[in-house]
Amino acid sequence: MDLGEAGPVATAIERWRAARWSGAAGNDAGAEIRRRVWEPLLPHLGDGKTILVSADGALGRLPLAALPGRRPGSYLLEEASIASIPVAQMLPDLLSRGSPDAGPPPSILLVGDVD
């Protein structure tokens, strides 16, 4: 899907990243990114609640879930689960694995402060 020129989006992303926690400037840039990037996708997402994204360029530096939500003071994360897939070619492999319930329970090994 063509979202238009990359330059204005990249500029808005840089403004958002620089001003995210500084009030109005960050909010304005976030709203612009939502308008330019997220809202054109909405008609294509249907009722989807889990969105897989494989972004490149400036969009790869953007945490979509942190963009403003529909309601003032909310975030996109409150509307949908958004997961990044760093390599789009990985998607068929990820989908072919089936449901996590089909195999052994997932596990994780965390190691910290190793001396």
Side-chain angles (χ1 to χ4, degrees), residues 1-113:
M1 169 168 196
D2 186 356
L3 296 175
E5 292 291 321
V9 172
T11 300
I13 289 171
E14 289 308 313
R15 279 192 7 249
W16 181 81
R17 289 175 57 90
R20 175 61 196 111
W21 307 113
S22 64
N27 293 340
D28 291 347
E32 180 181 353
I33 297 166
R34 180 184 170 97
R35 182 179 52 78
R36 289 181 178 271
V37 175
W38 184 251
E39 290 179 2
L41 298 176
L42 289 176
H44 304 281
L45 299 177
D47 293 332
K49 293 296 178 196
T50 300
I51 312 301
L52 304 176
V53 178
S54 182
D56 66 350
L59 288 176
R61 300 181 62 221
L62 173 70
L64 280 173
L67 288 177
R70 280 179 279 220
R71 295 180 326 273
S74 69
Y75 295 93
L76 190 53
L77 178 63
E78 298 170 63
E79 299 170 18
S81 297
I82 301 174
S84 294
I85 299 177
V87 180
Q89 291 82 353
M90 292 174 58
L91 186 57
D93 181 51
L94 291 171
L95 293 176
S96 71
R97 293 182 188 178
S99 168
D101 298 332
S107 62
I108 187 168
L109 171 64
L110 297 174
V111 179
D113 198 26

